[in-house]
Amino acid sequence: MESVPVYEDGATQGEHAIQTTTALDGDGTVIAQARHLAVEFLTRVQTDHGLPVSQRAMDLTQLVVSELVTNARKYAPGPVLLELRITGDTVEVVVWDSDPVLPIARAADVGRVGQHGLEIVMAVAQGFEAQREPVGKRITARIALLDDPDGAVAGRRPL
């Protein structure tokens, strides 16, 4: 039986994670910058690595990045780290901030204006988790890279 080395990121030889990490600090323009970084990342995933990414995945990734970075900028002092990585047939959007308080989705309220970001993220993501870190917290949302013409989420096709 042949052994296959597994690296710290969980990838095996030949399938190292495709990822990028950026520190975001500054004014409100970082939210737009984060969305642009997401588009650039997924475009590179397509062109440099030959992985298919649906328009839906592109749009939802921008939405999730926007909502998570907005929340981090609003509720946590200091910089925000944005990590985007391909794991299997999903793109993971990971946002770290300095506030250790984990977010909680609020009950539906038609009279509430705003504060629906977490509800939106949880509705469009295939996976969501929030973890406390030694400093702050890390929020991870997973979005499928592909969907079929009928709208069902599909896996990545073989290269």
Side-chain angles (χ1 to χ4, degrees), residues 120-139:
I120 292 168
V121 169
M122 293 176 80
V124 302
Q126 275 65 49
F128 175 86
E129 65 184 276
Q131 301 174 259
R132 279 196 183 88
E133 294 288 324
V135 176
K137 68 179 166 297
R138 177 184 318 263
I139 307 296

Side-chain angles (χ1 to χ4, degrees), residues 8-153:
E8 284 184 41
D9 61 5
T12 60
Q13 188 171 6
E15 65 172 28
H16 278 288
I18 303 166
Q19 66 183 45
T20 187
T21 303
T22 305
L24 303 168
D25 197 11
D27 60 19
T29 64
V30 299
I31 297 161
Q33 291 170 5
R35 284 193 306 267
H36 292 295
L37 287 168
V39 170
E40 290 170 5
F41 174 73
L42 290 177
T43 300
R44 279 195 322 270
V45 164
Q46 290 176 306
T47 59
D48 296 353
H49 300 279
L51 298 176
V53 178
S54 72
Q55 184 60 50
R56 178 181 180 274
M58 190 77 74
D59 295 342
L60 290 179
T61 301
Q62 289 181 78
L63 174 64
V64 167
V65 163
S66 182
E67 294 296 339
L68 294 181
V69 170
T70 297
N71 286 348
R73 295 283 304 140
K74 184 175 180 180
Y75 297 109
V80 173
L81 288 179
L82 170 64
E83 181 178 347
L84 300 164
R85 63 180 172 232
I86 301 300
T87 304
D89 60 355
T90 65
V91 57
E92 290 186 346
V93 176
V94 182
V95 174
W96 172 88
D97 67 49
S98 63
D99 185 358
V101 177
L102 297 178
I104 299 170
R106 300 175 73 183
D109 179 358
V110 295
R112 185 175 72 224
V113 176
Q115 299 184 340
H116 296 281
L118 186 57
E119 295 168 53
I120 292 168
V121 169
M122 293 176 80
V124 302
Q126 275 65 49
F128 175 86
E129 65 184 276
Q131 301 174 259
R132 279 196 183 88
E133 294 288 324
V135 176
K137 68 179 166 297
R138 177 184 318 263
I139 307 296
T140 304
R142 290 171 196 82
I143 301 157
L145 291 173
L146 291 178
D147 46 73
D148 70 24
D150 296 325
V153 174

